[in-house]
Each structure stands twice: as structure tokens, then as C-alpha cells.
Amino acid sequence: MSRISVLFFTSLFFFYGFGLNNMFNALGTDLSLTYHLSPMGLGWVSSMYFWANVLSLIPMGILCDRMSPKKIILMALLVSILTVVSIALSHDLWILIVSRLFMGMAGGCVFVGCMRIAVNWFPLSSMARAAGFIVTMGMFGGFMVQSPFIILIKGFGWREALLIASGIGLVIFILILLGVKDQPKKYMNDLEKDLKIEGAVPVKSLGSLLGNLKLALSNSQNWFAGLAGSLNNLPIFLLGALWGVPYLSHVHGFTETEAGLISGMLYFGTMLGSPLIGMISDKLERRKMPMIFGIICSIILIELCVHVSLNNLILWCVLFFLLGVTASAQVLAYPIVAESNPKHIISTATAIISMQMLLGGAISEPLFGYVLTYFSDTRSLSGAYQAALQILPIAFVFALGAACLIKESCKS
């Protein structure tokens, strides 16, 4: 069993989980009509995923450090599949909300579990590329729930489309079950050496467990890297996951399919940018500088998006593609964590990063809906969307400040 095949099959979980995270961008109109949701209500329902995800991330990280990450991934994937089926078959709003919550809880190990297996199979010198590949697969999942999923919904109906998605999840479950192992045979010997060198305390009590958690929480690198990555990743959550299609449809007059295509360019950009930035970072043996450069480019691009008035499909595809490339600089937060923490707490530290990433989505999605609803009373719909979109350049400025506080982690 090669480490490349293990990475590929494992990353299919992130492909599926990230797709579920972002599917409300395609389902938003149908769910609003079915359940009579306002923009703010839709934002809150969508954000249930993020709040549940945030609460489950650190427990999932601890579990992935101390138990079989493969078994945890399989259990979480099974729960995800069941929640998709329940949304497809239900007609009650409370079932939609509860399903979204359980989907978020299962998603707590989507990236953490994949990174734990990647750390087990790959040397630290290749972690940026491994993380970049995992993110690329996730972004491909995000793209598939844009225009392709909208076409599927229009052809079969949104409930039937979700049932098809649950079938895809079942196929991925079988592939991971058969094609993934937690670690190569020699890994356990190497880990024992690392633990002796780092002075790790085996987890035999609640006290030692909390001690490892405290060690991860006290590392400022985890917080600065997570904040920079989270804020630079907001275009994915705001424009890719929920508000991109309605914004492009209402403000720029694109059809839902065209708007889905444009939103999908965010994911294509991140699919290209994540491994590219990872390779550049590994080649330069630098993490901080490429992240800062990506954030500065994000600021420039979002200002162009805010002020461009042309309704040209190709132009908007290019802008969203480039914004996806620059947003993928957030992937460098993960090798920073891998290089700045002892091996025995890497999953816990990664969970802290992922928690900040998801908090960005949990706060920004309903905030966008609130700003949109607030300004709809005093401005045109186009003006209200433009006001809500100002969340992004403000977030990028704070991301730049956090990135400047990161210490370079890559060792030559």
C-alpha cells in the first residue's frame, strides 16, 4: 500500500465533507422556498454546520491523536451520509436543522483525520504538498456542489439530488475501508523515538490529556496561523458556500447556472493554488512570506470584485478563479502547525486551526445575511449586497496583521 494511494483515498473524505459544507449555495433557493426562510434565516441554518463543527473539532483532534483515525473517519462519514438522506426525505424545518448540526459534528474530523493520516505517512518536509493535495480534493468537492450540483437539482429535483449524493458517499466509504491504513509499519517505532525526544506524556489519565490540550492551546503559532488562514479563507465560505450564487444572480444578472459556474471558479482556483503554494513554500523553505503575499493579493482582488460593474461571464470567472488561488494561501497554516508542535499533539493543534477556520464561516455567513437584511430597507438590493461584501476586505486586513505575527516555522 503506497502512501500516495492512502493520501488519495483519505482525501476523498475531505472531498465529500467539504462538498456537504458548501452545498447550501446550490440548495439555498429551494430550501428558502420550501421552508419559507429569510436571507438571515438561511444563513443561520447553514451556519449550524459550522457551530457544531467548531464544538466537535478539539474532541475529534484528541481522538485522532489517541485512536485509529481511519475508524473515526469511517464513523463520521457514515453519519454524514445518514444526514444527507434525512434532509432529502424530511419535510420539517427542525429535522433540517438537526441534520445540519449532526453533519457539522461529523465534519469535525474531516480535515483533522486526513491530516493525522498524512502526518503518519509523510515526512514533515512534504507536509505542505500533502496538505495542499488534501485541500485540492476538498475544493474539488466544493466545486462539484456548485454548477454541476445545480444542473443535477434542475434535472432531478433537490431531494433526488441529495439521495444521489448519499450514494456517492457510500462509494467513498467502501474505498476508504479497503484502501486506507492508519500508518505504515515502521511508523510506530519512529513515533516512540519522537515521543522520548520530545518528553511526551502518554495519555493514561484525564490530567495528561488536559496537559496535552493545554500545550496546544498555549502555542501562539496555532492562534496566529489559524486566524490568518481563517480570515483569508472567507471567500470560500461566503461566496462559495452560500452567498455567491444569489449575489451574482441578483446584482449582476447571471442565471443560477452561470452564477454557480462563477462560484465554482473559487474552488478551481484553490484546487490549483493549494498544491502550487505548497510546492513553492517547500521549495523556498518559507511559510510566512508566501502566506503574506497571498493575503495582499486577496485584498487587491476583492476590491476589484466589489467595484467591477461589468456583467461579463468570463471576467467574473477569472476574478473568482484568481481569488481562489490567493485564498489557498490559508493551506500554509497547517504545515506551520505541523512544524511548530510536538508530533503527539499535531491532531489537537490542527483541530485548533480548523476550529478557527470554521468559526470564520459560522460568524460570517449569518453576519452577511444580517447586513444584507439591514441595508435592504434603505438601499437597493444591489447596494445591500455591496455593503455586505465589505466584510471581506476588512477581514483580509486583519488576516494580514495576524500573518505578520507568525514566526517562520520551516527549518532548512
Side-chain angles (χ1 to χ4, degrees), residues 27-343:
L27 290 171
T29 300
D30 293 295
L31 293 177
S32 295
L33 292 173
T34 302
Y35 296 102
H36 309 290
L37 296 171
S38 66
M40 189 173 178
L42 180 63
W44 276 113
V45 173
S46 178
S47 70
M48 290 299 103
Y49 179 98
F50 298 104
W51 290 113
N53 205 307
V54 166
L55 292 175
S56 65
L57 273 169
I58 290 181
M60 287 293 186
I62 294 172
L63 287 175
C64 286
D65 275 331
R66 301 305 165 188
M67 297 175 61
S68 163
K70 175 184 174 180
K71 290 180 180 178
I72 295 171
I73 284 174
L74 289 173
M75 287 188 291
L77 180 54
L78 184 59
V79 172
S80 298
I81 295 168
L82 292 175
T83 60
V84 174
V85 173
S86 68
I87 292 175
L89 299 180
S90 73
H91 295 270
D92 297 314
L93 180 59
W94 71 268
I95 295 179
L96 171 65
I97 294 172
V98 171
S99 297
R100 189 68 171 164
L101 282 168
F102 274 95
M103 188 183 291
M105 290 175 62
C109 76
V110 165
F111 194 80
V112 172
C114 292
M115 279 296 292
R116 177 71 263 179
I117 290 180
V119 168
N120 291 357
W121 282 84
F122 287 84
L124 288 179
S125 59
S126 300
M127 279 311 301
R129 279 169 284 184
F133 180 79
I134 294 170
V135 171
T136 295
M137 291 296 290
M139 294 306 133
F140 185 54
F143 169 77
M144 291 303 293
V145 296
Q146 302 299 317
S147 186
F149 196 51
I150 290 173
I151 293 171
L152 194 65
I153 291 171
K154 290 186 178 298
F156 296 94
W158 70 271
R159 296 183 187 277
E160 291 75 10
L162 285 175
L163 291 175
I164 293 172
S166 67
I168 294 172
L170 188 59
V171 172
I172 293 173
F173 181 93
I174 295 171
L175 290 174
I176 294 175
L177 179 66
L178 301 177
V180 173
K181 288 184 178 178
D182 286 320
Q183 67 272 317
K185 291 181 180 179
K186 71 169 188 174
Y187 173 77
M188 293 311 298
N189 292 330
D190 292 341
L191 180 59
E192 288 175 5
K193 293 178 182 178
D194 289 335
L195 293 180
K196 290 178 181 178
I197 293 171
E198 294 162 358
V201 180
V203 177
K204 295 180 179 178
S205 66
L206 179 61
S208 60
L209 190 68
L210 293 177
N212 287 341
L213 177 59
K214 182 180 178 181
L215 185 61
L217 291 171
S218 64
N219 189 341
S220 62
Q221 286 280 88
N222 299 337
W223 294 102
F224 292 139
L227 182 60
S230 173
L231 294 175
N232 194 44
N233 195 49
L234 283 190
I236 302 299
F237 291 139
L238 280 182
L239 299 177
L242 185 59
W243 295 111
V245 170
Y247 165 70
L248 291 165
S249 299
H250 292 135
V251 176
H252 296 285
F254 294 109
T255 66
E256 281 196 355
T257 303
E258 290 173 336
L261 175 63
I262 296 170
S263 295
M265 289 299 106
L266 275 172
Y267 299 99
F268 261 127
T270 310
M271 285 166 59
L272 173 66
S274 295
L276 179 62
I277 290 176
M279 287 188 290
I280 292 173
S281 175
D282 284 342
K283 186 71 174 178
L284 294 176
E285 297 183 338
R286 295 289 182 272
R287 309 299 188 207
K288 180 177 178 178
M289 184 269 288
M291 177 178 276
I292 289 175
F293 180 76
I295 295 171
I296 291 172
C297 291
S298 293
I299 295 173
I300 296 171
L301 286 167
I302 198 59
E303 287 299 327
L304 288 174
C305 290
V306 170
H307 295 102
V308 165
S309 58
L310 296 176
N311 300 330
N312 183 282
L313 179 63
I314 296 177
L315 174 63
W316 278 99
C317 283
V318 171
L319 282 175
F320 270 52
F321 175 81
L322 293 176
L323 187 60
V325 172
T326 59
S328 61
Q330 57 88 16
V331 74
L332 296 179
Y334 296 101
I336 288 172
V337 165
E339 294 160 353
S340 303
N341 292 273
K343 271 191 177 181

Side-chain angles (χ1 to χ4, degrees), residues 341-382:
N341 292 273
K343 271 191 177 181
H344 66 286
I345 63 165
I346 284 178
S347 289
T348 307
T350 301
I352 294 173
I353 294 287
S354 298
M355 179 181 69
Q356 294 175 80
M357 295 283 186
L358 272 298
L359 269 175
I363 295 171
S364 64
E365 284 193 355
L367 178 62
F368 192 101
Y370 172 78
V371 174
L372 180 62
T373 303
Y374 179 82
F375 282 103
S376 294
D377 295 333
T378 57
R379 300 187 184 186
S380 64
L381 186 59
S382 175

